[in-house]
Amino acid sequence: MSRSIQHRTIQRRTFLGTAAALTVAAAIGTAPPAGATTRVSTAFELPGDRTYPEGIAADPRTGELYVGSYTTGAVYRATAGRRTAEVFLPAGTDGRDTANGLKADRAGRLWVTDSTSGVDVYDLRTRTLLARFDVPGDAPRFVNDLAITADGSAYLTDSVREVIYRVTPADLARAASHGGRSTLTTAYDLSGVVAPHPSGTFTLNGIVASDRFLLTVDMTGGALYRVDLATGDVRQVVLSGGDLVNGDGLELVGDTLWAALNKTNTITRWRLSADGTAARLERSVTDAALQIPTTLVRRNGRTLVVRSQFDKGGPMGPGTPETPFTVAWVHGI
């Protein structure tokens, strides 16, 4: 699809809200003791005065962190011993001027979603673009976040079309051997399940995977949906103690789910039932210091959170951001 001005305007106007030890020195630490007060501090800084970060990914092999810029498409890498992340992929690389969800897989690849077109897949060692998967058709779209399952398949949410796309390892290999270009395939259509919502608002956003199911959040309705990977069955997860309105990035470790609620500067922690059909709110932390949290990743007993500042001159409102932009770590959640 062409990156039309109309689509860019729509996405910026309607946006309301992603086993190796972490080796980034600024983020290393032990888990806080039970009952400890929640604290928000800076893990590392990001270069640039218009960065507006959105997605974050940890390399499962090295623990190095990758952060994408929603406004430029740049990708940054945080490495051990450095307080400021380095530019890994410059702004505009391969024609991409926005970077939403990021995920690094165990095969040494970095997946970078472009909300306007699809997803790019890079070799982490060489920084080479291996393949690009485009959204089919010309209808509006907003490719948002992604998760990777144990078999190496990537699943991506579309906040406008209310579908989940899939790229299998075979799809990737085929695209890489045929010019590096292919089309995304819809794996699951949730449009008949997601609750009605006002025109112009987004629905599906963050997504995570277990070995049996996917979980994705409806950021407008506040619901969580479970997709069975074996049967394709889609059901709404029963939430107790709260909801997920403004839900953005998700993180799943075992039976614990973390969620970033962007507009309210909130991080929540949920306990999932064994089959993933129910979740109970265990803790909720709201702090202006989170600066519109969009995505998060859990490492070494800490939750690292992207502070997007989208409400300060970004896609959520006018103003001037505080610089440098940063990624925070949060104790106690």
Side-chain angles (χ1 to χ4, degrees), residues 208-234:
V208 289
S210 77
D211 58 350
R212 292 180 294 156
F213 53 80
L214 305 172
L215 296 174
T216 184
V217 62
D218 169 9
M219 67 185 304
T220 296
L224 185 68
Y225 294 94
R226 178 191 186 276
V227 181
D228 192 293
L229 287 168
T231 67
D233 177 64
V234 180

Side-chain angles (χ1 to χ4, degrees), residues 79-93:
T79 57
R82 294 187 178 182
R83 178 70 171 179
T84 301
E86 63 180 349
V87 175
F88 182 74
L89 298 172
T93 296

